[in-house]
Short mmCIF file of all heavy atoms in Angstrom, two decimals:
data_model
loop_
_atom_site.label_atom_id
_atom_site.label_comp_id
_atom_site.label_asym_id
_atom_site.label_seq_id
_atom_site.Cartn_x
_atom_site.Cartn_y
_atom_site.Cartn_z
N LEU A 23 76.24 2.14 -43.88
CA LEU A 23 74.93 2.47 -43.27
C LEU A 23 74.02 2.93 -44.37
O LEU A 23 74.30 3.86 -44.98
CB LEU A 23 75.03 3.50 -42.16
CG LEU A 23 73.74 3.94 -41.44
CD1 LEU A 23 72.99 2.84 -40.85
CD2 LEU A 23 74.01 5.10 -40.49
N VAL A 24 72.89 2.28 -44.46
CA VAL A 24 71.88 2.65 -45.47
C VAL A 24 70.55 2.47 -44.86
O VAL A 24 70.28 1.76 -43.87
CB VAL A 24 72.01 1.78 -46.72
CG1 VAL A 24 73.22 1.92 -47.50
CG2 VAL A 24 71.70 0.24 -46.39
N GLN A 25 69.50 3.25 -45.46
CA GLN A 25 68.18 3.06 -44.99
C GLN A 25 67.56 1.85 -45.60
O GLN A 25 67.92 1.45 -46.81
CB GLN A 25 67.46 4.43 -45.40
CG GLN A 25 67.84 5.63 -44.60
CD GLN A 25 66.92 6.84 -44.83
OE1 GLN A 25 66.35 7.02 -45.94
NE2 GLN A 25 66.98 7.77 -43.91
N ALA A 26 66.44 1.48 -45.00
CA ALA A 26 65.68 0.38 -45.58
C ALA A 26 65.19 0.70 -46.99
O ALA A 26 64.76 1.88 -47.24
CB ALA A 26 64.42 0.04 -44.67
N GLY A 27 65.34 -0.27 -47.88
CA GLY A 27 64.94 0.00 -49.27
C GLY A 27 66.12 0.38 -50.07
O GLY A 27 66.01 0.39 -51.30
N GLY A 28 67.22 0.71 -49.51
CA GLY A 28 68.41 1.20 -50.22
C GLY A 28 69.26 -0.01 -50.73
O GLY A 28 68.83 -1.22 -50.53
N SER A 29 70.38 0.25 -51.39
CA SER A 29 71.24 -0.70 -52.01
C SER A 29 72.74 -0.53 -51.60
O SER A 29 73.01 0.60 -51.30
CB SER A 29 71.19 -0.62 -53.51
OG SER A 29 69.80 -0.86 -53.95
N LEU A 30 73.37 -1.59 -51.58
CA LEU A 30 74.81 -1.57 -51.39
C LEU A 30 75.38 -2.74 -52.28
O LEU A 30 74.71 -3.57 -52.62
CB LEU A 30 75.23 -1.95 -49.95
CG LEU A 30 75.05 -0.83 -48.88
CD1 LEU A 30 75.35 -1.40 -47.49
CD2 LEU A 30 76.01 0.32 -49.23
N ARG A 31 76.66 -2.39 -52.76
CA ARG A 31 77.46 -3.42 -53.46
C ARG A 31 78.70 -3.70 -52.68
O ARG A 31 79.51 -2.83 -52.55
CB ARG A 31 77.78 -2.92 -54.84
CG ARG A 31 78.35 -4.03 -55.78
CD ARG A 31 78.88 -3.47 -56.98
NE ARG A 31 78.97 -4.44 -58.06
CZ ARG A 31 79.75 -4.28 -59.16
NH1 ARG A 31 80.42 -3.17 -59.42
NH2 ARG A 31 79.89 -5.37 -60.05
N LEU A 32 78.86 -4.99 -52.27
CA LEU A 32 80.07 -5.40 -51.56
C LEU A 32 81.06 -6.09 -52.60
O LEU A 32 80.62 -6.64 -53.65
CB LEU A 32 79.67 -6.49 -50.56
CG LEU A 32 78.67 -6.15 -49.45
CD1 LEU A 32 78.53 -7.26 -48.44
CD2 LEU A 32 79.01 -4.82 -48.82
N SER A 33 82.29 -5.75 -52.31
CA SER A 33 83.37 -6.40 -53.15
C SER A 33 84.31 -7.20 -52.30
O SER A 33 84.54 -6.84 -51.08
CB SER A 33 84.14 -5.29 -53.91
OG SER A 33 83.22 -4.59 -54.73
N CYS A 34 84.92 -8.20 -52.80
CA CYS A 34 85.90 -8.95 -52.09
C CYS A 34 86.97 -9.30 -53.20
O CYS A 34 86.84 -9.98 -54.16
CB CYS A 34 85.31 -10.26 -51.64
SG CYS A 34 86.54 -11.32 -50.99
N ALA A 35 88.11 -8.68 -52.92
CA ALA A 35 89.36 -8.91 -53.69
C ALA A 35 90.26 -9.90 -53.18
O ALA A 35 90.55 -9.86 -51.94
CB ALA A 35 90.11 -7.57 -53.86
N ALA A 36 90.56 -10.96 -53.95
CA ALA A 36 91.28 -12.15 -53.45
C ALA A 36 92.67 -12.08 -54.05
O ALA A 36 92.91 -11.70 -55.23
CB ALA A 36 90.58 -13.37 -53.92
N SER A 37 93.66 -12.60 -53.31
CA SER A 37 94.94 -12.75 -53.69
C SER A 37 95.53 -14.00 -53.04
O SER A 37 95.19 -14.33 -52.00
CB SER A 37 95.80 -11.41 -53.47
OG SER A 37 95.83 -11.25 -51.98
N GLY A 38 96.59 -14.54 -53.67
CA GLY A 38 97.22 -15.70 -53.11
C GLY A 38 96.50 -17.05 -53.40
O GLY A 38 96.93 -18.09 -52.85
N ILE A 39 95.50 -17.05 -54.26
CA ILE A 39 94.70 -18.24 -54.62
C ILE A 39 94.54 -18.17 -56.12
O ILE A 39 94.67 -17.13 -56.74
CB ILE A 39 93.39 -18.27 -53.90
CG1 ILE A 39 92.43 -17.14 -54.32
CG2 ILE A 39 93.56 -18.38 -52.44
CD1 ILE A 39 91.00 -17.25 -53.87
N THR A 40 94.30 -19.33 -56.68
CA THR A 40 93.87 -19.41 -58.07
C THR A 40 92.39 -19.21 -58.10
O THR A 40 91.57 -20.09 -57.98
CB THR A 40 94.23 -20.84 -58.69
OG1 THR A 40 95.60 -21.12 -58.50
CG2 THR A 40 93.92 -20.87 -60.15
N PHE A 41 92.02 -17.91 -58.38
CA PHE A 41 90.79 -17.43 -58.00
C PHE A 41 89.67 -18.20 -58.93
O PHE A 41 88.66 -18.54 -58.36
CB PHE A 41 90.61 -15.98 -58.35
CG PHE A 41 89.27 -15.39 -58.08
CD1 PHE A 41 88.90 -14.89 -56.83
CD2 PHE A 41 88.41 -15.19 -59.17
CE1 PHE A 41 87.67 -14.35 -56.66
CE2 PHE A 41 87.18 -14.56 -58.99
CZ PHE A 41 86.76 -14.17 -57.74
N SER A 42 90.01 -18.40 -60.16
CA SER A 42 89.07 -18.93 -61.10
C SER A 42 88.67 -20.44 -60.66
O SER A 42 87.59 -20.97 -61.11
CB SER A 42 89.48 -18.91 -62.54
OG SER A 42 90.77 -19.71 -62.68
N ARG A 43 89.45 -21.05 -59.91
CA ARG A 43 89.18 -22.44 -59.48
C ARG A 43 88.52 -22.52 -58.17
O ARG A 43 88.14 -23.67 -57.76
CB ARG A 43 90.57 -23.27 -59.40
CG ARG A 43 91.20 -23.53 -60.76
CD ARG A 43 92.39 -24.33 -60.66
NE ARG A 43 92.97 -24.72 -61.92
CZ ARG A 43 92.59 -25.88 -62.55
NH1 ARG A 43 91.71 -26.73 -62.19
NH2 ARG A 43 93.18 -26.08 -63.74
N ASN A 44 88.23 -21.39 -57.52
CA ASN A 44 87.65 -21.42 -56.20
C ASN A 44 86.18 -21.19 -56.28
O ASN A 44 85.74 -20.31 -57.08
CB ASN A 44 88.25 -20.42 -55.32
CG ASN A 44 89.48 -20.88 -54.62
OD1 ASN A 44 89.52 -21.26 -53.47
ND2 ASN A 44 90.65 -21.00 -55.44
N ASP A 45 85.40 -21.79 -55.46
CA ASP A 45 84.03 -21.48 -55.15
C ASP A 45 84.03 -20.27 -54.27
O ASP A 45 84.78 -20.17 -53.29
CB ASP A 45 83.16 -22.58 -54.63
CG ASP A 45 83.05 -23.78 -55.54
OD1 ASP A 45 83.24 -23.65 -56.58
OD2 ASP A 45 82.92 -24.91 -54.88
N MET A 46 83.25 -19.21 -54.56
CA MET A 46 83.24 -17.96 -53.77
C MET A 46 81.84 -17.83 -53.12
O MET A 46 80.84 -18.07 -53.71
CB MET A 46 83.66 -16.80 -54.57
CG MET A 46 84.95 -16.89 -55.29
SD MET A 46 86.32 -16.96 -54.17
CE MET A 46 86.24 -15.47 -53.27
N GLY A 47 81.86 -17.43 -51.90
CA GLY A 47 80.58 -17.17 -51.18
C GLY A 47 80.67 -15.99 -50.26
O GLY A 47 81.64 -15.36 -50.00
N TRP A 48 79.53 -15.50 -49.95
CA TRP A 48 79.24 -14.47 -49.01
C TRP A 48 78.41 -15.02 -47.77
O TRP A 48 77.40 -15.65 -48.10
CB TRP A 48 78.45 -13.24 -49.60
CG TRP A 48 79.25 -12.40 -50.51
CD1 TRP A 48 79.35 -12.51 -51.90
CD2 TRP A 48 80.20 -11.40 -50.05
NE1 TRP A 48 80.21 -11.59 -52.31
CE2 TRP A 48 80.67 -10.77 -51.27
CE3 TRP A 48 80.56 -10.81 -48.91
CZ2 TRP A 48 81.71 -9.78 -51.36
CZ3 TRP A 48 81.55 -9.82 -48.89
CH2 TRP A 48 82.02 -9.29 -50.13
N PHE A 49 78.86 -14.84 -46.62
CA PHE A 49 78.21 -15.17 -45.44
C PHE A 49 77.99 -13.90 -44.60
O PHE A 49 78.60 -12.93 -44.75
CB PHE A 49 79.05 -16.19 -44.59
CG PHE A 49 79.18 -17.50 -45.20
CD1 PHE A 49 79.93 -17.68 -46.34
CD2 PHE A 49 78.64 -18.68 -44.63
CE1 PHE A 49 80.15 -19.03 -46.99
CE2 PHE A 49 78.72 -19.90 -45.20
CZ PHE A 49 79.48 -20.13 -46.41
N ARG A 50 77.12 -14.02 -43.60
CA ARG A 50 76.89 -12.94 -42.64
C ARG A 50 76.65 -13.45 -41.32
O ARG A 50 76.18 -14.59 -41.10
CB ARG A 50 75.73 -12.05 -43.22
CG ARG A 50 74.35 -12.72 -43.08
CD ARG A 50 73.28 -11.81 -43.78
NE ARG A 50 71.90 -12.37 -43.68
CZ ARG A 50 70.88 -11.89 -44.30
NH1 ARG A 50 71.03 -10.73 -45.02
NH2 ARG A 50 69.70 -12.53 -44.19
N GLN A 51 76.94 -12.60 -40.35
CA GLN A 51 76.70 -12.88 -38.94
C GLN A 51 76.21 -11.73 -38.21
O GLN A 51 76.84 -10.64 -38.09
CB GLN A 51 77.97 -13.38 -38.26
CG GLN A 51 77.82 -13.97 -36.88
CD GLN A 51 78.99 -14.68 -36.39
OE1 GLN A 51 80.08 -14.45 -36.87
NE2 GLN A 51 78.73 -15.54 -35.34
N ALA A 52 74.96 -11.87 -37.70
CA ALA A 52 74.36 -10.79 -36.92
C ALA A 52 74.72 -10.99 -35.40
O ALA A 52 74.98 -12.19 -35.05
CB ALA A 52 72.86 -10.69 -37.04
N PRO A 53 74.58 -10.05 -34.56
CA PRO A 53 74.91 -10.04 -33.10
C PRO A 53 74.04 -11.25 -32.46
O PRO A 53 72.85 -11.16 -32.70
CB PRO A 53 74.67 -8.72 -32.53
CG PRO A 53 74.87 -7.87 -33.70
CD PRO A 53 74.40 -8.58 -34.82
N GLY A 54 74.66 -12.19 -31.81
CA GLY A 54 73.88 -13.17 -31.15
C GLY A 54 73.42 -14.34 -32.06
O GLY A 54 72.73 -15.23 -31.54
N LYS A 55 73.81 -14.32 -33.37
CA LYS A 55 73.37 -15.39 -34.21
C LYS A 55 74.61 -16.02 -34.83
O LYS A 55 75.68 -15.51 -34.83
CB LYS A 55 72.47 -14.77 -35.31
CG LYS A 55 71.17 -14.17 -34.77
CD LYS A 55 70.31 -13.73 -35.92
CE LYS A 55 69.01 -13.15 -35.46
NZ LYS A 55 68.18 -12.63 -36.61
N GLN A 56 74.35 -17.25 -35.35
CA GLN A 56 75.45 -17.98 -36.14
C GLN A 56 75.59 -17.43 -37.46
O GLN A 56 74.78 -16.75 -38.03
CB GLN A 56 74.95 -19.43 -36.17
CG GLN A 56 75.07 -20.13 -34.77
CD GLN A 56 74.99 -21.66 -34.92
OE1 GLN A 56 74.46 -22.17 -35.93
NE2 GLN A 56 75.41 -22.37 -33.99
N ARG A 57 76.82 -17.61 -37.92
CA ARG A 57 77.13 -17.22 -39.33
C ARG A 57 76.25 -18.12 -40.28
O ARG A 57 76.18 -19.28 -40.13
CB ARG A 57 78.62 -17.41 -39.56
CG ARG A 57 79.07 -16.78 -40.83
CD ARG A 57 80.61 -16.77 -41.03
NE ARG A 57 81.25 -16.08 -39.92
CZ ARG A 57 82.49 -15.84 -39.87
NH1 ARG A 57 83.32 -16.34 -40.79
NH2 ARG A 57 83.03 -15.19 -38.85
N GLU A 58 75.73 -17.46 -41.24
CA GLU A 58 74.88 -18.04 -42.21
C GLU A 58 75.30 -17.75 -43.63
O GLU A 58 75.81 -16.66 -43.91
CB GLU A 58 73.38 -17.68 -42.05
CG GLU A 58 73.08 -16.19 -42.30
CD GLU A 58 71.61 -15.87 -42.25
OE1 GLU A 58 70.84 -16.82 -42.17
OE2 GLU A 58 71.33 -14.67 -42.26
N LEU A 59 74.96 -18.72 -44.55
CA LEU A 59 75.30 -18.54 -45.96
C LEU A 59 74.32 -17.60 -46.52
O LEU A 59 73.13 -17.70 -46.35
CB LEU A 59 75.27 -19.84 -46.67
CG LEU A 59 75.37 -19.77 -48.24
CD1 LEU A 59 76.73 -19.45 -48.67
CD2 LEU A 59 75.04 -21.19 -48.91
N VAL A 60 74.84 -16.55 -47.28
CA VAL A 60 73.93 -15.65 -48.07
C VAL A 60 73.81 -16.04 -49.47
O VAL A 60 72.83 -16.11 -50.02
CB VAL A 60 74.50 -14.14 -47.84
CG1 VAL A 60 73.72 -13.20 -48.76
CG2 VAL A 60 74.53 -13.81 -46.43
N ALA A 61 74.99 -16.29 -50.05
CA ALA A 61 74.99 -16.57 -51.58
C ALA A 61 76.37 -17.25 -51.84
O ALA A 61 77.41 -17.03 -51.20
CB ALA A 61 74.85 -15.34 -52.32
N VAL A 62 76.33 -18.05 -52.83
CA VAL A 62 77.57 -18.75 -53.25
C VAL A 62 77.61 -18.74 -54.81
O VAL A 62 76.54 -18.89 -55.41
CB VAL A 62 77.68 -20.18 -52.68
CG1 VAL A 62 76.55 -21.05 -53.22
CG2 VAL A 62 78.98 -20.82 -53.02
N ILE A 63 78.80 -18.56 -55.36
CA ILE A 63 78.93 -18.81 -56.85
C ILE A 63 80.09 -19.76 -57.01
O ILE A 63 81.16 -19.58 -56.53
CB ILE A 63 79.16 -17.45 -57.52
CG1 ILE A 63 79.30 -17.64 -59.06
CG2 ILE A 63 80.32 -16.74 -57.02
CD1 ILE A 63 79.05 -16.33 -59.83
#
């Protein structure tokens, strides 16, 4: 929980995959809405 204007850093630790060969992305889903792409690398 943060106030408007603030910052957060999310992390995702992966195991069981060849990480360097995978495209990685962040998606989000708000209540009542479909999941949407936020960013991909």
Side-chain angles (χ1 to χ4, degrees):
L23 174 64
V24 297
Q25 292 186 334
S29 298
L30 283 174
R31 191 190 195 197
L32 306 183
S33 299
C34 172
S37 60
I39 63 171
T40 304
F41 182 84
S42 63
R43 291 186 174 270
N44 277 258
D45 300 333
M46 303 298 299
W48 287 96
F49 291 71
R50 67 186 181 187
Q51 187 167 23
K55 298 183 179 180
Q56 292 190 337
R57 190 171 299 186
E58 65 175 349
L59 174 69
V60 177
V62 62
I63 182 166

